[in-house]
């Protein structure tokens, strides 16, 4: 820190100008070696992808990729039905569809408008309640995208609560107060040491039943399974985040605490202004790993009837009977989520270091 | 100003060390006391006990009449009145030079940003690095960092300053600039306790020199007495080794 590396470089630069030709040769060779290894990388990747493709050809399976897109978006035919019995008074073509007027048997007339030219009745027909007047097509979001969205939502909320919980537990873990410290240790060890699957069961079937029974007694609406799922993921992540926070804080040099405390700052002020901002930059990489795990762990929530991406895929596989395509797609969708998160946190880390 | 009565401090981890044994000392207002001694002699522990970065096991420490070892004492108030400068600077690396100096003014002294900024700039001028106000500490040389650290401590308007080997981590050519700032402070009448190996500084600036060894004060006196006519054999040996 106190040496002056600039002078060293000046010396090297001086030598290099004297040996211009040699150094440029060296640079050329270094460049060649670099590009050679880049080629090696692409070669290995191509081989991997190629062999995977070869394997897919060799298994006894008919690939029907064209069946996959409908689970993202599909064009649903929606039938328009009459709510009343009566006779059709008029059918008009409007600019963007059809307008049907029905004279009800009770004397009122009702208009039905929909965006299509498909009509299944004629003027003067008598209709019963529920008869189909016509139909139109509408793009709907498929079950896989719905599942993806739910996975994203559950993970996001669980990450937010996980950070808060982990921060509190991490600070309690290094506290000298035995109640805080031992509570934190108990929490961390139990949660980290037991299977997430069992924790989800306990949250939903034990705590969930208790909470919902109590709510029912007071006539308050039930808490849906989604929130017990979020709670189980948040407590699970919180335990890991707590350890990450603890190691981050302890990695900050003791002198920082001493300097801030010697200026008269309280423990909390020193934490907030001096220690945590520095610790935060250091814990971003391990946090990223933890959150990626969390996104993938959310696939377990299917067991308590939360239709996130994995459960959605399982349902689609049952109806489509194309397991390979759909599980591949499922994996790729998880990859998209985790990779985006990873990039986002790397960007955040870089920005924080530069500022 | 600083009254230390019979304090002792024993470290049990990693193994038992009696760092301070029954040490008593008084520092008057505006007095500059230099503490010297071989490493492991307890001089740093003594200094760190004065603002309770280490808590003495026994004895009494009065800072401006306040008993800092009393359970009811608000130690943060006392620490705000006693500035400390560390061997390793300990500047806040995530804050600029200006923010390093103004942070505690805002947080502890509750000064307005404008008032804090004025004080900060005055102090940075005083230690001679006003031009580096928006730079981060890792872009400064060791000597500059230590001067910022001194400004940071002074920003609290302390009644006394503690220096824990402020020049030991510096390259030789940077020691002078830090000592110069400290001399200015001494001339202005700051009460100072300085642990250092800079005998030149001790001779020139100190009102009193304390020699510590094995957790005890072996000898103390004026610099003239101390450097020309030390009475204790241990002191003579130490001076012979370092001069």
């Amino acid at each position: 820190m106190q040496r002056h590396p600039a002078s060293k470089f000046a010396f090297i630069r001086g030598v290099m100008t004297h040996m211009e030709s040699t150094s440029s040769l060296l640079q050329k060779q270094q460049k060649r070696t670099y590009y050679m290894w880049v080629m090696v990388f692409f070669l290995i990747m191509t081989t991997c992808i190629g062999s995977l493709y070869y394997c897919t050809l060799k298994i006894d399976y008919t690939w029907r990729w064209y069946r996959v897109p409908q689970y993202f978006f599909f064009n649903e035919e929606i039938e328009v039905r009459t709510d009343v019995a009566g006779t059709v008074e008029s059918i008009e073509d409007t600019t963007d569809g059809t307008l049907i007027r029905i004279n009800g048997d009770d004397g009122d007339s009702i208009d039905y408008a929909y965006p299509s030219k498909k009509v299944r009745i004629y003027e003067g027909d008598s209709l019963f309640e529920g008869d189909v007047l016509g139909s139109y097509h509408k793009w709907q979001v498929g079950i896989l995208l719905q599942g993806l969205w739910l996975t994203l939502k559950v993970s996001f909320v669980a990450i937010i609560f996980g950070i808060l919980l982990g921060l509190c537990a991490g600070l309690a873990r290094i506290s000298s107060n035995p109640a805080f410290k031992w509570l934190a240790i108990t929490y961390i060890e139990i949660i980290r040491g037991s299977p997430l699957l069992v924790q989800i069961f306990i949250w939903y079937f034990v705590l969930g039943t208790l909470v919902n029974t109590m709510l029912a007694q007071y006539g308050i609406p039930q808490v849906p399974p989604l929130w017990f799922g979020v709670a189980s993921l948040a407590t699970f992540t919180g335990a890991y985040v707590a350890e990450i926070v603890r190691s981050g804080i302890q990695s900050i040099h003791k002198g920082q605490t001493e300097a801030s405390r010697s200026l008269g700052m309280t423990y909390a002020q020193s934490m907030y202004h001096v220690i945590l901002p520095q610790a935060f930059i250091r814990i971003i990489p391990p946090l990223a790993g933890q959150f990626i795990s969390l996104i993938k762990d959310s696939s377990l929530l299917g067991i308590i009837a939360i239709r996130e991406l994995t459960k959605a895929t399982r349902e689609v596989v049952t109806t489509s009977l194309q397991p390979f395509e759909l599980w591949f797609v499922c994996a790729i969708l998880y990859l998209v989520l985790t990779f985006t998160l990873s990039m986002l946190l790397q960007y955040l880390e870089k920005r924080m270091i530069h500022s | 100003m600083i009254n230390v009565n019979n304090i002792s401090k024993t470290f049990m981890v990693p193994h038992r060390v009696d760092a301070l044994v029954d040490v008593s000392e008084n520092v008057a207002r505006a007095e500059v006391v230099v503490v010297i001694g071989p490493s492991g002699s307890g001089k740093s522990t003594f200094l760190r006990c004065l603002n309770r970065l280490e808590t003495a096991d026994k004895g009494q420490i009065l800072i401006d009449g306040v008993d800092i070892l009393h359970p009811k004492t608000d130690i943060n108030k006392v620490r705000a009145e006693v500035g400390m400068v560390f061997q390793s600077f300990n500047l806040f690396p995530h804050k600029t030079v200006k923010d390093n100096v103004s942070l505690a003014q805002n947080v502890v002294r509750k000064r307005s940003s404008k008032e804090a900024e004025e004080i900060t700039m005055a102090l940075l001028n005083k230690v001679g690095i006003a031009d580096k106000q928006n730079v981060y500490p890792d872009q400064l040389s060791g000597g500059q960092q230590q001067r910022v650290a001194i400004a940071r401590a002074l920003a609290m308007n302390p009644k006394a300053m503690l220096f824990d080997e402020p020049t030991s981590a510096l390259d030789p050519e940077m020691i002078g600039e830090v000592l110069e700032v400290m001399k200015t402070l001494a001339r202005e009448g700051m009460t100072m306790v300085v642990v250092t190996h800079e005998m030149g500084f001790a001779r020139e600036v100190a009102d009193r020199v304390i020699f510590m060894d094995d957790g005890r004060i072996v000898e103390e006196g004026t610099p003239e007495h101390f450097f020309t006519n030390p009475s204790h054999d241990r002191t003579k040996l130490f001076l012979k080794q370092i001069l």
Side-chain angles (χ1 to χ4, degrees):
Chain A
M1 196 186 280
Q2 296 127 42
R3 306 253 172 263
H4 286 295
S7 57
K8 196 166 77 187
F9 287 131
F11 165 73
I12 292 172
R13 241 180 279 125
V15 172
M16 274 160 69
T17 46
H18 281 291
M19 302 192 288
E20 194 60 67
S21 54
T22 332
S23 75
S24 73
L25 266 180
L26 184 68
Q27 265 180 358
K28 246 181 216 164
Q29 196 191 334
Q30 278 172 346
K31 239 182 201 167
R32 257 208 309 275
T33 323
Y34 177 80
Y35 284 116
M36 192 192 83
W37 286 107
V38 170
M39 296 264 288
V40 168
F41 167 77
F42 282 111
L43 204 70
I44 291 174
M45 289 310 291
T46 322
T47 316
C48 284
I49 294 170
S51 15
L52 189 65
Y53 179 68
Y54 182 70
C55 293
T56 62
L57 292 180
K58 280 291 151 190
I59 54 167
D60 186 19
Y61 185 78
T62 317
W63 294 86
R64 295 193 179 91
W65 283 102
Y66 63 88
R67 283 195 184 173
V68 173
Q70 60 176 317
Y71 300 114
F72 285 84
F73 290 105
F74 63 97
N75 205 351
E76 192 186 24
E77 182 170 31
I78 295 170
E79 293 176 327
V80 183
R81 292 165 187 272
T82 168
D83 297 322
V84 294
T87 47
V88 180
E89 190 187 296
S90 67
I91 300 173
E92 270 177 54
D93 276 1
T94 54
T95 44
D96 56 346
T98 314
L99 178 71
I100 297 172
R101 173 160 297 175
I102 293 167
N103 240 341
D105 289 343
D106 52 3
D108 295 336
S109 66
I110 298 179
D111 290 349
Y112 287 93
Y114 56 89
S116 131
K117 305 279 183 200
K118 277 187 199 157
V119 183
R120 296 208 202 151
I121 47 160
Y122 298 98
E123 279 183 21
D125 282 0
S126 21
L127 302 172
F128 292 105
E129 208 179 310
D131 280 354
V132 177
L133 305 175
S135 65
Y136 62 95
H137 280 90
K138 192 183 173 191
W139 282 101
Q140 302 275 35
V141 176
I143 184 170
L144 277 188
L145 268 196
Q146 285 175 11
L148 181 70
W149 170 241
L150 196 61
T151 292
L152 192 66
K153 199 165 86 175
V154 166
S155 308
F156 181 75
V157 179
I159 284 174
I160 300 294
F161 283 109
I163 291 176
L164 294 177
L165 199 59
L167 189 63
C168 295
L171 287 172
R173 175 73 181 74
I174 52 171
S175 157
S176 50
N177 180 323
F180 290 161
K181 186 174 174 174
W182 293 343
L183 272 176
I185 293 176
T186 313
Y187 162 65
I188 292 167
E189 293 304 328
I190 286 180
I191 297 291
R192 282 203 312 177
S194 62
L196 177 56
L197 191 68
V198 177
Q199 291 175 30
I200 295 174
F201 278 142
I202 291 174
W203 268 101
Y204 183 58
F205 290 110
V206 181
L207 294 173
T209 311
L210 180 75
V211 168
N212 277 338
T213 314
M214 273 166 53
L215 289 180
Q217 276 176 358
Y218 297 101
I220 303 169
Q222 302 281 289
V223 179
L226 178 72
W227 292 104
F228 294 107
V230 168
S232 62
L233 284 182
T235 43
F236 183 74
T237 306
Y240 286 89
V241 172
E243 280 295 277
I244 293 172
V245 167
R246 177 185 69 86
S247 66
I249 291 173
Q250 286 179 342
S251 76
I252 303 300
H253 192 262
K254 202 165 87 270
Q256 292 291 312
T257 311
E258 289 184 351
S260 49
R261 297 302 304 273
S262 79
L263 288 165
M265 286 188 212
T266 62
Y267 176 80
Q269 286 168 341
S270 149
M271 267 294 158
Y272 181 75
H273 292 287
V274 177
I275 306 300
L276 284 180
Q278 294 181 57
F280 190 62
I281 298 174
R282 293 197 194 175
I283 66 178
I284 285 178
L287 273 186
Q290 193 51 47
F291 294 155
I292 285 169
S293 281
L294 171 78
I295 290 179
K296 292 185 294 171
D297 287 342
S298 73
S299 62
L300 287 172
L301 293 181
I303 54 164
I304 57 168
I306 297 172
R307 207 209 250 163
E308 40 64 56
L309 185 51
T310 303
K311 180 140 190 341
T313 311
R314 212 177 308 149
E315 286 177 11
V316 172
V317 166
T318 328
T319 56
S320 74
L321 300 175
Q322 298 298 137
F324 282 77
E325 294 90 334
L326 288 161
W327 285 120
F328 270 123
V329 167
C330 174
I332 289 169
L333 289 178
Y334 273 109
L335 202 60
V336 168
L337 286 188
T338 53
F339 190 67
T340 313
L341 181 72
S342 180
M343 288 292 113
L344 213 69
L345 284 168
Q346 272 185 34
Y347 170 76
L348 186 69
E349 190 191 352
K350 271 196 195 123
R351 249 192 60 161
M352 290 194 69
I353 288 171
H354 285 301
S355 68
Chain B
M1 180 70 210
I2 300 172
N3 308 94
V4 179
N5 299 318
N6 308 95
I7 60 164
S8 297
K9 173 77 185 172
T10 305
F11 291 108
M12 299 308 262
V13 182
H15 50 86
R16 190 191 160 98
V17 178
D18 293 317
L20 291 176
V21 185
D22 207 23
V23 173
S24 298
E25 188 56 59
N26 292 307
V27 181
R29 200 173 293 276
E31 191 179 19
V32 177
V33 173
V34 169
V35 185
I36 61 172
S39 66
S41 60
K43 52 194 195 306
S44 274
T45 306
F46 171 70
L47 196 75
R48 290 160 62 83
C49 279
L50 297 183
N51 67 352
R52 226 175 83 183
L53 280 185
E54 305 287 356
T55 310
D57 300 332
K58 273 191 297 208
Q60 187 192 39
I61 301 172
L62 300 176
I63 303 289
D64 211 17
V66 179
D67 182 353
I68 67 164
L69 295 174
H70 194 278
K72 289 230 171 86
T73 302
D74 181 359
I75 190 63
N76 295 318
K77 271 195 183 140
V78 178
R79 282 174 178 160
E81 304 293 335
V82 181
M84 187 156 198
V85 175
F86 300 86
Q87 178 177 359
S88 50
F89 328 135
N90 297 343
L91 291 180
F92 308 135
H94 61 303
K95 298 213 174 274
T96 59
V97 164
K98 197 164 71 178
D99 292 344
N100 260 281
V101 181
S102 57
L103 177 64
Q105 299 185 58
N106 296 326
V107 174
V108 180
R109 289 284 191 227
K110 311 282 181 212
R111 287 176 190 152
S112 68
S113 309
K114 191 166 162 278
E115 192 189 357
E117 170 140 5
E118 277 168 20
I119 294 171
T120 301
M121 288 319 294
L123 284 169
L124 288 181
N125 269 316
K126 184 174 178 179
V127 297
I129 29 180
D131 54 325
K132 305 275 189 194
Q133 51 164 310
N134 292 318
V135 158
Y136 285 90
D138 61 359
Q139 290 161 279
L140 297 177
S141 72
Q144 290 169 326
Q145 288 194 51
Q146 193 61 296
R147 284 185 282 150
V148 175
I150 293 173
R152 179 176 70 177
L154 288 175
M156 308 302 288
N157 296 112
K159 292 172 181 160
M161 289 280 284
L162 310 176
F163 292 84
D164 190 2
E165 302 199 25
T167 56
S168 298
L170 297 177
D171 282 350
E173 75 266 27
M174 291 167 190
I175 291 175
E177 62 194 52
V178 172
L179 291 182
E180 212 45 56
V181 172
M182 290 167 66
K183 282 177 198 164
T184 314
L185 276 184
R187 274 198 297 274
E188 288 171 359
M190 176 63 78
T191 311
M192 291 163 66
V193 181
V194 184
V195 172
T196 188
H197 296 296
E198 292 299 320
M199 295 306 146
F201 178 81
R203 210 180 303 216
E204 188 183 338
V205 184
D207 296 311
R208 198 143 49 88
V209 177
I210 297 174
F211 175 68
M212 286 185 76
D213 192 23
D214 264 343
R216 291 175 178 81
I217 293 178
V218 176
E219 184 167 359
E220 59 180 298
T222 60
E224 299 86 62
H225 159 80
F226 196 84
F227 288 106
T228 52
N229 190 21
S231 44
H232 210 280
D233 285 346
R234 186 71 191 81
T235 317
K236 282 178 194 159
L237 180 65
F238 177 73
L239 289 174
K240 209 174 102 188
Q241 279 165 341
I242 62 163
L243 288 178

